[in-house]
Coordinates of all heavy atoms in Angstrom, one line a residue:
M12 N -21.6 23.8 19.1 CA -23.0 23.7 18.9 C -23.5 22.7 19.9 O -23.1 21.5 19.8 CB -23.4 23.4 17.5 CG -24.9 23.5 17.2 SD -25.1 23.5 15.4 CE -25.8 21.9 15.3
N13 N -24.3 23.1 20.8 CA -24.8 22.1 21.8 C -26.2 21.7 21.5 O -27.1 22.5 21.1 CB -24.7 22.7 23.2 CG -23.4 22.5 23.8 OD1 -22.7 21.5 23.5 ND2 -22.9 23.4 24.6
A14 N -26.5 20.4 21.7 CA -27.9 19.9 21.5 C -28.2 18.9 22.6 O -27.2 18.5 23.3 CB -28.0 19.2 20.1
S15 N -29.4 18.5 22.7 CA -29.6 17.3 23.6 C -30.3 16.2 22.8 O -30.9 16.4 21.8 CB -30.5 17.9 24.7 OG -31.7 18.5 24.2
K16 N -30.1 15.1 23.4 CA -30.6 13.9 22.7 C -31.2 13.0 23.8 O -30.7 12.8 24.9 CB -29.4 13.2 22.0 CG -29.8 12.1 21.0 CD -28.7 11.6 20.2 CE -28.9 10.4 19.4 NZ -29.9 10.7 18.4
K17 N -32.2 12.3 23.5 CA -32.9 11.4 24.3 C -32.1 10.0 24.4 O -31.8 9.5 23.3 CB -34.3 11.1 23.9 CG -35.2 10.6 25.0 CD -36.6 10.5 24.5 CE -37.5 10.0 25.6 NZ -38.9 9.9 25.2
C18 N -31.7 9.7 25.5 CA -30.9 8.4 25.7 C -31.8 7.2 25.4 O -32.9 7.1 25.8 CB -30.5 8.3 27.1 SG -29.7 6.8 27.5
P19 N -31.2 6.3 24.5 CA -32.1 5.1 24.1 C -32.2 4.1 25.2 O -33.0 3.2 25.2 CB -31.3 4.6 22.9 CG -29.9 5.0 23.1 CD -30.0 6.4 23.8
Q20 N -31.3 4.2 26.3 CA -31.3 3.3 27.4 C -32.3 3.7 28.5 O -33.2 2.9 28.8 CB -29.9 3.2 28.0 CG -28.9 2.3 27.1 CD -29.4 0.8 27.1 OE1 -29.8 0.3 28.0 NE2 -29.3 0.3 25.8
C21 N -32.1 4.9 29.0 CA -32.9 5.3 30.2 C -34.1 6.3 29.8 O -34.8 6.6 30.7 CB -32.0 5.8 31.3 SG -31.2 7.4 30.9
G22 N -34.1 6.8 28.5 CA -35.1 7.6 28.1 C -35.0 9.1 28.7 O -35.9 9.9 28.4
Q23 N -33.9 9.4 29.3 CA -33.7 10.8 29.8 C -33.0 11.7 28.8 O -32.2 11.1 28.0 CB -32.9 10.8 31.1 CG -33.6 10.0 32.2 CD -33.5 10.6 33.5 OE1 -33.8 11.8 33.6 NE2 -33.0 9.9 34.5
W24 N -33.2 12.9 28.8 CA -32.6 13.8 27.9 C -31.2 14.1 28.4 O -31.0 14.4 29.6 CB -33.3 15.1 27.7 CG -34.6 14.9 26.8 CD1 -35.8 14.5 27.4 CD2 -34.7 14.9 25.4 NE1 -36.7 14.3 26.4 CE2 -36.0 14.6 25.2 CE3 -33.9 15.2 24.4 CZ2 -36.5 14.5 23.9 CZ3 -34.3 15.1 23.1 CH2 -35.7 14.8 22.8
S25 N -30.2 14.0 27.5 CA -28.8 14.3 27.9 C -28.1 15.3 26.9 O -28.5 15.3 25.8 CB -28.1 13.0 27.9 OG -26.8 13.1 28.3
R26 N -27.1 16.0 27.4 CA -26.4 16.9 26.6 C -25.6 16.1 25.5 O -25.1 15.0 25.8 CB -25.3 17.7 27.5 CG -25.0 19.0 26.8 CD -24.6 20.0 27.9 NE -24.3 19.5 29.2 CZ -23.1 19.3 29.7 NH1 -22.0 19.6 28.9 NH2 -22.9 18.9 30.9
W27 N -25.7 16.6 24.3 CA -25.0 15.9 23.2 C -24.3 16.9 22.3 O -24.9 17.9 21.9 CB -26.2 15.2 22.4 CG -25.7 14.3 21.3 CD1 -24.7 13.4 21.4 CD2 -26.2 14.3 19.9 NE1 -24.6 12.8 20.2 CE2 -25.5 13.2 19.3 CE3 -27.2 15.0 19.3 CZ2 -25.7 12.9 17.9 CZ3 -27.4 14.6 17.9 CH2 -26.7 13.6 17.3
T28 N -23.0 16.7 22.0 CA -22.2 17.6 21.2 C -22.1 17.1 19.7 O -21.1 17.3 19.1 CB -20.8 17.7 21.8 OG1 -20.2 16.4 21.9 CG2 -20.9 18.3 23.1
Q29 N -23.2 16.5 19.2 CA -23.3 15.9 17.9 C -22.3 14.8 17.6 O -22.0 14.4 16.5 CB -23.0 17.1 16.8 CG -23.9 18.3 17.0 CD -25.2 18.1 16.6 OE1 -25.6 17.5 15.7 NE2 -26.2 18.7 17.4
N30 N -21.6 14.4 18.7 CA -20.5 13.4 18.6 C -21.2 12.0 18.9 O -21.8 11.8 19.9 CB -19.5 13.7 19.6 CG -18.2 12.7 19.4 OD1 -18.3 11.7 18.7 ND2 -17.2 13.1 20.0
P31 N -21.2 11.1 17.9 CA -21.9 9.8 18.1 C -21.4 9.0 19.3 O -22.1 8.1 19.8 CB -21.6 9.1 16.7 CG -20.6 9.8 16.0 CD -20.6 11.2 16.6
S32 N -20.1 9.2 19.7 CA -19.6 8.5 20.8 C -19.9 9.1 22.2 O -19.5 8.6 23.2 CB -18.1 8.2 20.7 OG -17.4 9.4 20.6
D33 N -20.6 10.2 22.2 CA -21.0 10.8 23.5 C -21.9 9.9 24.3 O -22.6 9.1 23.8 CB -21.9 12.1 23.2 CG -21.0 13.3 22.9 OD1 -19.8 13.2 23.1 OD2 -21.6 14.4 22.6
R34 N -21.6 10.0 25.7 CA -22.4 9.1 26.5 C -23.5 9.8 27.3 O -23.4 11.0 27.6 CB -21.4 8.4 27.4 CG -20.7 7.3 26.7 CD -19.5 6.7 27.5 NE -18.8 5.7 26.8 CZ -19.2 4.4 26.6 NH1 -20.3 4.0 27.2 NH2 -18.5 3.6 25.9
C35 N -24.4 9.1 27.7 CA -25.6 9.7 28.5 C -25.1 10.2 29.9 O -24.2 9.5 30.5 CB -26.6 8.5 28.7 SG -27.9 9.0 29.8
E36 N -25.5 11.3 30.3 CA -25.1 11.8 31.6 C -25.8 11.0 32.8 O -25.3 11.0 33.9 CB -25.7 13.3 31.7 CG -25.0 14.3 30.9 CD -25.7 15.6 30.9 OE1 -26.9 15.7 31.2 OE2 -25.0 16.6 30.5
H37 N -26.8 10.2 32.5 CA -27.5 9.6 33.6 C -27.0 8.1 33.7 O -26.9 7.6 34.8 CB -29.0 9.6 33.4 CG -29.4 11.0 33.2 ND1 -29.6 11.9 34.2 CD2 -29.7 11.7 32.0 CE1 -30.0 13.1 33.7 NE2 -30.1 13.1 32.4
C38 N -26.9 7.4 32.6 CA -26.6 5.9 32.7 C -25.3 5.5 32.0 O -25.0 4.4 31.9 CB -27.8 5.1 32.2 SG -28.0 5.3 30.4
Q39 N -24.6 6.5 31.4 CA -23.3 6.3 30.7 C -23.5 5.4 29.5 O -22.4 4.9 29.0 CB -22.2 5.7 31.6 CG -21.9 6.6 32.9 CD -21.4 8.0 32.4 OE1 -20.5 8.1 31.6 NE2 -22.0 9.0 33.0
S40 N -24.6 5.3 28.9 CA -24.7 4.5 27.7 C -24.5 5.4 26.5 O -24.7 6.6 26.6 CB -25.9 3.7 27.6 OG -27.0 4.6 27.5
I41 N -24.1 4.8 25.4 CA -23.8 5.6 24.1 C -25.1 6.1 23.7 O -26.1 5.4 23.5 CB -23.1 4.7 23.1 CG1 -21.7 4.4 23.6 CG2 -23.0 5.4 21.8 CD1 -21.0 3.3 22.8
L42 N -25.1 7.4 23.3 CA -26.3 8.1 22.9 C -26.7 7.8 21.5 O -27.9 7.9 21.1 CB -26.2 9.6 23.0 CG -26.2 10.2 24.5 CD1 -25.8 11.6 24.5 CD2 -27.6 10.1 25.1
D43 N -25.8 7.4 20.7 CA -26.1 7.1 19.3 C -25.5 5.8 18.8 O -24.6 5.8 18.0 CB -25.6 8.3 18.4 CG -26.3 8.3 17.0 OD1 -26.9 7.3 16.7 OD2 -26.1 9.2 16.2
P44 N -26.0 4.7 19.4 CA -25.3 3.4 19.1 C -25.3 3.0 17.7 O -24.4 2.3 17.3 CB -26.0 2.4 20.0 CG -27.3 3.1 20.3 CD -27.1 4.6 20.3
V45 N -26.2 3.4 16.9 CA -26.3 3.0 15.5 C -25.1 3.6 14.7 O -24.5 2.9 14.0 CB -27.6 3.4 14.9 CG1 -27.7 3.0 13.4 CG2 -28.8 2.8 15.6
T46 N -24.9 4.9 14.9 CA -23.8 5.5 14.2 C -22.5 5.0 14.6 O -21.5 4.8 13.8 CB -23.9 7.1 14.4 OG1 -25.2 7.5 14.0 CG2 -22.8 7.8 13.5
V47 N -22.3 4.7 15.9 CA -21.0 4.2 16.5 C -20.8 2.8 15.9 O -19.7 2.5 15.4 CB -21.1 4.1 18.1 CG1 -19.9 3.3 18.6 CG2 -21.1 5.5 18.6
A48 N -21.8 2.0 15.8 CA -21.6 0.6 15.2 C -21.3 0.7 13.8 O -20.4 0.0 13.3 CB -23.0 -0.2 15.4
R49 N -21.9 1.7 13.1 CA -21.6 1.9 11.6 C -20.2 2.2 11.4 O -19.5 1.8 10.5 CB -22.5 2.9 11.0 CG -22.7 2.6 9.5 CD -23.7 3.7 9.0 NE -25.0 3.7 9.5 CZ -25.8 4.8 9.8 NH1 -25.3 6.0 9.6 NH2 -27.0 4.7 10.4
Q50 N -19.7 3.2 12.3 CA -18.3 3.7 12.2 C -17.3 2.7 12.4 O -16.4 2.5 11.7 CB -18.1 4.9 13.1 CG -18.7 6.2 12.6 CD -18.4 7.4 13.5 OE1 -18.1 7.2 14.7 NE2 -18.4 8.6 13.0
Q51 N -17.6 1.9 13.5 CA -16.7 0.7 13.8 C -16.6 -0.2 12.7 O -15.6 -0.7 12.4 CB -17.2 0.0 15.1 CG -16.7 0.7 16.3 CD -17.3 0.1 17.6 OE1 -18.1 -0.7 17.5 NE2 -16.6 0.4 18.7
A52 N -17.7 -0.6 12.0 CA -17.8 -1.5 10.9 C -16.9 -1.1 9.8 O -16.1 -1.7 9.2 CB -19.2 -1.8 10.5
R53 N -17.1 0.2 9.5 CA -16.3 0.9 8.4 C -14.8 0.8 8.7 O -14.0 0.5 7.8 CB -16.8 2.3 8.2 CG -16.5 2.8 6.8 CD -16.9 4.3 6.7 NE -18.3 4.5 7.0 CZ -18.7 5.7 7.5 NH1 -18.0 6.6 7.9 NH2 -20.0 5.8 7.8
Q54 N -14.4 1.1 9.9 CA -13.0 1.1 10.4 C -12.4 -0.3 10.2 O -11.3 -0.5 9.7 CB -12.9 1.6 11.8 CG -11.6 2.3 12.1 CD -11.7 2.9 13.4 OE1 -12.7 3.0 14.1 NE2 -10.6 3.5 13.8
E55 N -13.2 -1.3 10.7 CA -12.7 -2.6 10.5 C -12.5 -3.1 9.1 O -11.5 -3.8 8.9 CB -13.7 -3.6 11.3 CG -13.5 -3.7 12.8 CD -14.6 -4.4 13.5 OE1 -15.3 -5.2 12.9 OE2 -14.8 -4.1 14.7
R56 N -13.4 -2.7 8.4 CA -13.3 -3.1 6.9 C -12.1 -2.5 6.3 O -11.3 -3.1 5.6 CB -14.6 -2.6 6.1 CG -14.8 -3.5 4.9 CD -16.1 -3.0 4.1 NE -17.2 -2.7 5.0 CZ -17.9 -1.7 5.0 NH1 -17.8 -0.7 4.0 NH2 -19.0 -1.5 5.7
R57 N -11.8 -1.2 6.6 CA -10.6 -0.5 6.1 C -9.3 -1.3 6.6 O -8.4 -1.5 5.8 CB -10.6 0.9 6.6 CG -9.7 1.8 5.7 CD -9.8 3.2 6.0 NE -11.2 3.8 5.9 CZ -11.7 4.6 6.8 NH1 -11.0 5.1 7.8 NH2 -12.9 5.0 6.6
Q58 N -9.3 -1.6 7.9 CA -8.1 -2.3 8.4 C -7.9 -3.7 7.7 O -6.8 -4.0 7.4 CB -8.3 -2.6 9.9 CG -7.9 -1.4 10.7 CD -8.1 -1.6 12.2 OE1 -8.9 -2.5 12.6 NE2 -7.6 -0.7 13.0
E59 N -9.0 -4.4 7.4 CA -8.9 -5.7 6.7 C -8.3 -5.4 5.3 O -7.5 -6.2 4.9 CB -10.3 -6.2 6.5 CG -10.5 -7.5 7.4 CD -11.9 -7.9 7.4 OE1 -12.5 -8.0 6.2 OE2 -12.6 -8.1 8.4
E60 N -8.7 -4.4 4.6 CA -8.2 -4.1 3.3 C -6.7 -3.8 3.3 O -6.0 -4.3 2.5 CB -9.0 -2.9 2.7 CG -10.3 -3.4 2.1 CD -11.2 -2.3 1.7 OE1 -10.8 -1.1 1.7 OE2 -12.4 -2.6 1.5
D61 N -6.3 -3.0 4.4 CA -4.9 -2.7 4.5 C -4.0 -3.9 4.7 O -3.0 -4.1 4.1 CB -4.7 -1.7 5.6 CG -5.1 -0.4 5.3 OD1 -5.4 -0.1 4.2 OD2 -5.2 0.5 6.3
Q62 N -4.6 -4.9 5.6 CA -3.8 -6.1 5.9 C -3.7 -7.0 4.7 O -2.6 -7.5 4.4 CB -4.5 -6.8 7.0 CG -4.2 -6.3 8.4 CD -5.0 -7.0 9.5 OE1 -5.9 -7.7 9.2 NE2 -4.5 -6.9 10.7
R63 N -4.8 -7.1 3.9 CA -4.8 -7.9 2.7 C -3.7 -7.4 1.8 O -3.0 -8.2 1.2 CB -6.2 -7.8 2.0 CG -6.4 -9.1 1.3 CD -7.8 -9.1 0.6 NE -8.8 -8.8 1.6 CZ -9.9 -8.1 1.3 NH1 -10.1 -7.6 0.2 NH2 -10.8 -7.8 2.3
F64 N -3.6 -6.1 1.7 CA -2.5 -5.5 0.7 C -1.2 -5.9 1.2 O -0.3 -6.3 0.3 CB -2.8 -4.0 0.6 CG -1.9 -3.5 -0.5 CD1 -2.3 -3.6 -1.8 CD2 -0.8 -2.8 -0.2 CE1 -1.4 -3.1 -2.8 CE2 0.1 -2.2 -1.1 CZ -0.3 -2.4 -2.4
T65 N -0.9 -5.8 2.5 CA 0.5 -6.0 3.0 C 0.8 -7.5 2.9 O 2.0 -7.8 2.7 CB 0.7 -5.5 4.3 OG1 -0.4 -5.8 5.1 CG2 0.9 -4.0 4.4
I66 N -0.1 -8.4 3.0 CA 0.2 -9.8 3.0 C 0.4 -10.2 1.4 O 1.3 -11.0 1.2 CB -1.0 -10.6 3.5 CG1 -1.1 -10.5 5.0 CG2 -0.9 -12.1 3.2 CD1 -2.3 -10.8 5.7
D67 N -0.3 -9.6 0.5 CA -0.2 -9.9 -0.9 C 1.2 -9.6 -1.4 O 1.7 -10.3 -2.2 CB -1.2 -9.2 -1.6 CG -2.6 -9.8 -1.7 OD1 -2.7 -11.0 -1.1 OD2 -3.5 -9.3 -2.2
F68 N 1.8 -8.5 -1.0 CA 3.1 -8.2 -1.5 C 4.2 -8.3 -0.5 O 4.0 -8.0 0.7 CB 3.0 -6.7 -2.0 CG 2.1 -6.5 -3.2 CD1 0.8 -6.1 -3.1 CD2 2.6 -6.9 -4.5 CE1 0.0 -6.0 -4.2 CE2 1.8 -6.7 -5.6 CZ 0.5 -6.3 -5.5
I69 N 5.4 -8.7 -1.0 CA 6.5 -8.8 -0.2 C 6.9 -7.4 0.5 O 6.9 -6.5 -0.2 CB 7.7 -9.4 -0.9 CG1 7.4 -10.7 -1.4 CG2 9.0 -9.4 -0.1 CD1 8.4 -11.3 -2.5
R70 N 7.2 -7.5 1.7 CA 7.6 -6.2 2.4 C 9.1 -6.1 2.3 O 9.8 -7.0 2.7 CB 7.1 -6.2 3.9 CG 5.6 -6.3 3.9 CD 5.1 -6.1 5.3 NE 5.0 -4.6 5.6 CZ 4.6 -4.1 6.7 NH1 4.2 -4.9 7.6 NH2 4.5 -2.8 6.8
I71 N 9.6 -5.0 1.9 CA 11.0 -4.8 1.9 C 11.4 -4.0 3.1 O 11.0 -2.9 3.4 CB 11.4 -4.0 0.6 CG1 11.2 -4.9 -0.6 CG2 12.9 -3.6 0.6 CD1 11.2 -4.3 -2.0
N72 N 12.4 -4.6 3.9 CA 12.8 -4.0 5.1 C 14.1 -3.3 4.9 O 15.1 -3.9 4.4 CB 13.0 -5.1 6.1 CG 13.3 -4.7 7.5 OD1 13.6 -3.5 7.7 ND2 13.3 -5.5 8.5
P73 N 14.2 -2.0 5.1 CA 15.5 -1.2 4.8 C 16.7 -1.6 5.6 O 17.8 -1.3 5.3 CB 15.1 0.2 5.1 CG 13.9 0.2 5.9 CD 13.2 -1.1 5.5
D74 N 16.5 -2.4 6.8 CA 17.6 -2.8 7.6 C 18.3 -4.1 7.0 O 19.4 -4.5 7.5 CB 17.1 -3.1 9.0 CG 16.5 -1.9 9.7 OD1 16.9 -0.8 9.3 OD2 15.6 -2.0 10.5
E75 N 17.7 -4.7 6.0 CA 18.3 -5.9 5.5 C 19.4 -5.7 4.6 O 19.5 -4.6 4.0 CB 17.2 -6.8 4.8 CG 16.2 -7.5 5.8 CD 15.0 -8.0 5.0 OE1 14.6 -7.5 3.9 OE2 14.3 -8.9 5.6
P76 N 20.4 -6.7 4.4 CA 21.5 -6.4 3.5 C 21.1 -6.2 2.1 O 20.0 -6.7 1.8 CB 22.3 -7.8 3.7 CG 21.4 -8.8 4.3 CD 20.4 -7.9 5.2
W77 N 21.9 -5.6 1.4 CA 21.5 -5.1 0.0 C 21.0 -6.3 -1.0 O 20.1 -6.1 -1.7 CB 22.6 -4.3 -0.7 CG 23.8 -5.1 -1.1 CD1 24.9 -5.4 -0.4 CD2 24.0 -5.9 -2.3 NE1 25.8 -6.2 -1.0 CE2 25.2 -6.5 -2.2 CE3 23.2 -6.0 -3.5 CZ2 25.7 -7.3 -3.2 CZ3 23.7 -6.8 -4.5 CH2 25.0 -7.4 -4.4
F78 N 21.7 -7.5 -0.9 CA 21.3 -8.6 -1.7 C 19.9 -9.1 -1.5 O 19.2 -9.5 -2.3 CB 22.4 -9.7 -1.8 CG 22.9 -10.2 -0.4 CD1 22.2 -11.2 0.2 CD2 23.9 -9.6 0.2 CE1 22.6 -11.7 1.4 CE2 24.4 -10.1 1.4 CZ 23.7 -11.1 2.1
T79 N 19.6 -9.2 -0.1 CA 18.3 -9.6 0.2 C 17.2 -8.6 -0.3 O 16.2 -9.1 -0.9 CB 18.1 -9.7 1.8 OG1 19.2 -10.4 2.3 CG2 16.9 -10.4 2.2
R80 N 17.5 -7.3 -0.2 CA 16.6 -6.3 -0.7 C 16.5 -6.4 -2.3 O 15.4 -6.3 -2.8 CB 17.1 -5.0 -0.3 CG 16.6 -4.4 1.1 CD 17.0 -3.0 1.3 NE 18.5 -3.0 1.5 CZ 19.1 -1.9 1.4 NH1 18.6 -0.8 1.0 NH2 20.4 -1.9 1.7
F81 N 17.7 -6.7 -2.9 CA 17.7 -6.9 -4.3 C 16.8 -8.0 -4.8 O 15.9 -7.9 -5.7 CB 19.2 -7.1 -4.7 CG 19.3 -7.3 -6.2 CD1 19.2 -6.2 -7.0 CD2 19.7 -8.5 -6.8 CE1 19.5 -6.3 -8.4 CE2 19.9 -8.6 -8.2 CZ 19.8 -7.5 -8.9
Y82 N 17.0 -9.2 -4.1 CA 16.1 -10.3 -4.5 C 14.6 -10.1 -4.2 O 13.8 -10.4 -5.0 CB 16.6 -11.6 -3.8 CG 17.8 -12.2 -4.4 CD1 19.0 -12.3 -3.7 CD2 17.9 -12.6 -5.7 CE1 20.1 -12.9 -4.3 CE2 19.0 -13.2 -6.3 CZ 20.1 -13.3 -5.5 OH 21.2 -13.8 -6.2
K83 N 14.4 -9.5 -3.1 CA 13.0 -9.2 -2.8 C 12.4 -8.2 -3.8 O 11.2 -8.3 -4.1 CB 12.9 -8.5 -1.3 CG 12.9 -9.6 -0.2 CD 12.4 -9.0 1.0 CE 12.3 -10.0 2.2 NZ 11.8 -9.4 3.4
R84 N 13.2 -7.2 -4.2 CA 12.7 -6.3 -5.2 C 12.3 -7.0 -6.5 O 11.3 -6.7 -7.1 CB 13.8 -5.2 -5.4 CG 13.2 -3.8 -5.5 CD 14.3 -2.8 -5.6 NE 14.8 -2.4 -4.2 CZ 14.2 -1.4 -3.5 NH1 13.2 -0.8 -4.0 NH2 14.6 -1.1 -2.4
I85 N 13.2 -8.0 -6.9 CA 12.9 -8.7 -8.1 C 11.6 -9.5 -7.9 O 10.6 -9.5 -8.8 CB 14.0 -9.7 -8.5 CG1 15.3 -8.8 -8.9 CG2 13.6 -10.7 -9.6 CD1 16.5 -9.7 -9.0
G86 N 11.5 -10.2 -6.7 CA 10.3 -10.9 -6.4 C 9.1 -10.0 -6.4 O 8.0 -10.4 -6.9
L87 N 9.2 -8.8 -5.8 CA 8.1 -7.9 -5.8 C 7.7 -7.5 -7.2 O 6.5 -7.4 -7.6 CB 8.5 -6.6 -5.0 CG 7.5 -5.6 -4.6 CD1 6.4 -6.3 -3.6 CD2 8.0 -4.4 -4.0
G88 N 8.7 -7.2 -8.0 CA 8.4 -6.9 -9.5 C 7.6 -8.0 -10.2 O 6.7 -7.7 -10.8
F89 N 8.1 -9.3 -9.9 CA 7.3 -10.4 -10.5 C 5.9 -10.5 -10.0 O 4.9 -10.6 -10.7 CB 8.0 -11.7 -10.2 CG 9.0 -12.1 -11.2 CD1 10.3 -12.1 -10.9 CD2 8.6 -12.4 -12.5 CE1 11.3 -12.5 -11.8 CE2 9.6 -12.8 -13.4 CZ 10.9 -12.8 -13.1
Q90 N 5.7 -10.2 -8.7 CA 4.4 -10.2 -8.0 C 3.4 -9.2 -8.7 O 2.3 -9.4 -9.0 CB 4.5 -10.0 -6.6 CG 4.8 -11.2 -5.8 CD 4.5 -11.1 -4.3 OE1 4.6 -10.0 -3.8 NE2 4.1 -12.1 -3.6
I91 N 4.0 -8.0 -8.9 CA 3.2 -6.9 -9.5 C 2.8 -7.2 -10.9 O 1.7 -7.1 -11.2 CB 4.0 -5.6 -9.3 CG1 4.0 -5.1 -7.8 CG2 3.3 -4.5 -10.1 CD1 5.0 -4.0 -7.5
A92 N 3.8 -7.8 -11.6 CA 3.5 -8.2 -13.0 C 2.5 -9.3 -13.1 O 1.5 -9.2 -13.8 CB 4.8 -8.7 -13.6
F93 N 2.6 -10.2 -12.1 CA 1.7 -11.3 -12.1 C 0.2 -10.8 -11.7 O -0.7 -11.2 -12.3 CB 2.1 -12.3 -11.0 CG 1.4 -13.6 -10.9 CD1 1.4 -14.5 -12.0 CD2 0.5 -13.9 -9.8 CE1 0.7 -15.7 -11.9 CE2 -0.2 -15.0 -9.8 CZ -0.1 -16.0 -10.8
A94 N 0.2 -9.9 -10.8 CA -1.1 -9.3 -10.4 C -1.7 -8.6 -11.5 O -3.0 -8.6 -11.7 CB -0.9 -8.4 -9.2
S95 N -0.9 -7.8 -12.3 CA -1.5 -7.1 -13.4 C -2.0 -8.1 -14.5 O -3.1 -7.8 -15.1 CB -0.5 -6.2 -14.1 OG 0.7 -6.0 -13.3
I96 N -1.3 -9.2 -14.7 CA -1.8 -10.2 -15.7 C -3.1 -10.9 -15.2 O -4.0 -10.9 -16.0 CB -0.7 -11.3 -15.9 CG1 0.5 -10.7 -16.7 CG2 -1.3 -12.5 -16.7 CD1 1.8 -11.5 -16.7
I97 N -3.1 -11.2 -13.9 CA -4.4 -11.7 -13.4 C -5.5 -10.8 -13.6 O -6.6 -11.1 -14.0 CB -4.2 -12.1 -11.8 CG1 -3.1 -13.3 -11.8 CG2 -5.5 -12.4 -11.2 CD1 -3.6 -14.6 -12.2
S98 N -5.3 -9.5 -13.2 CA -6.4 -8.5 -13.3 C -6.8 -8.3 -14.7 O -7.9 -8.1 -15.0 CB -6.1 -7.2 -12.6 OG -4.8 -6.7 -13.0
L99 N -5.8 -8.4 -15.6 CA -6.1 -8.3 -17.1 C -7.0 -9.5 -17.5 O -8.0 -9.3 -18.2 CB -4.8 -8.3 -17.9 CG -5.0 -8.1 -19.5 CD1 -5.3 -6.6 -19.7 CD2 -3.7 -8.4 -20.2
F100 N -6.7 -10.6 -17.1 CA -7.4 -11.9 -17.3 C -8.9 -11.7 -16.8 O -9.8 -11.9 -17.5 CB -6.8 -13.1 -16.8 CG -6.0 -13.9 -17.7 CD1 -4.6 -14.0 -17.5 CD2 -6.6 -14.6 -18.8 CE1 -3.8 -14.6 -18.5 CE2 -5.9 -15.3 -19.7 CZ -4.4 -15.3 -19.5
L101 N -9.0 -11.3 -15.6 CA -10.3 -11.0 -14.9 C -11.1 -10.1 -15.7 O -12.3 -10.2 -16.0 CB -10.1 -10.6 -13.5 CG -9.6 -11.7 -12.5 CD1 -9.4 -11.1 -11.1 CD2 -10.6 -12.8 -12.4
W102 N -10.4 -9.0 -16.2 CA -11.1 -8.0 -17.0 C -11.6 -8.6 -18.3 O -12.8 -8.3 -18.7 CB -10.1 -6.9 -17.2 CG -10.7 -5.7 -18.0 CD1 -11.6 -4.8 -17.6 CD2 -10.4 -5.5 -19.4 NE1 -11.8 -3.9 -18.7 CE2 -11.2 -4.4 -19.8 CE3 -9.6 -6.1 -20.4 CZ2 -11.1 -3.8 -21.1 CZ3 -9.6 -5.6 -21.7 CH2 -10.3 -4.4 -22.0
L103 N -10.8 -9.4 -18.9 CA -11.2 -10.1 -20.2 C -12.3 -11.0 -20.0 O -13.3 -11.0 -20.8 CB -9.9 -10.8 -20.8 CG -9.0 -10.1 -21.7 CD1 -7.8 -10.9 -22.0 CD2 -9.7 -9.6 -22.9
I104 N -12.3 -11.8 -19.0 CA -13.4 -12.7 -18.6 C -14.7 -12.0 -18.4 O -15.7 -12.3 -19.0 CB -13.0 -13.6 -17.4 CG1 -11.9 -14.6 -17.8 CG2 -14.2 -14.3 -16.9 CD1 -11.2 -15.2 -16.6
A105 N -14.6 -10.9 -17.7 CA -15.7 -10.1 -17.4 C -16.3 -9.5 -18.7 O -17.5 -9.4 -18.9 CB -15.4 -9.0 -16.4
L106 N -15.4 -9.1 -19.6 CA -15.8 -8.5 -20.9 C -16.4 -9.5 -21.8 O -17.5 -9.3 -22.4 CB -14.5 -7.9 -21.6 CG -14.6 -7.0 -22.7 CD1 -15.1 -5.6 -22.1 CD2 -13.4 -6.8 -23.5
L107 N -15.9 -10.8 -21.8 CA -16.4 -11.8 -22.7 C -17.7 -12.3 -22.1 O -18.6 -12.6 -22.9 CB -15.4 -13.0 -22.7 CG -14.1 -12.7 -23.6 CD1 -13.1 -13.8 -23.5 CD2 -14.4 -12.4 -25.0
A108 N -17.8 -12.5 -20.8 CA -19.0 -13.0 -20.2 C -20.1 -12.0 -20.3 O -21.3 -12.4 -20.5 CB -18.8 -13.2 -18.7
G109 N -19.8 -10.7 -20.3 CA -20.8 -9.7 -20.5 C -21.3 -9.6 -21.9 O -22.4 -9.5 -22.3
Ligands
LIG10 ZN1 -29.2 7.1 29.8

């Protein structure tokens, strides 16, 4: 499906394939900068959330010797138990405060 869109930079009409990252045929500027910025912000937020999760929990590396993995697994179990207790507390506080 082909459409055309007026370039926000130079004001000329340019071919547009409904893709927000399409660029103007005349000045090479992005035809839909608002959507592109929104998509980038969403992507960055998702990456931040992924990073936060991997930092919070111990990463178990399969190349490590079995005892290291064993201890890490115990530590990870404690971390998950601790995280559940914390979230239970937060839930209780929210319940009591409300
Ligand atoms: Zn243009």
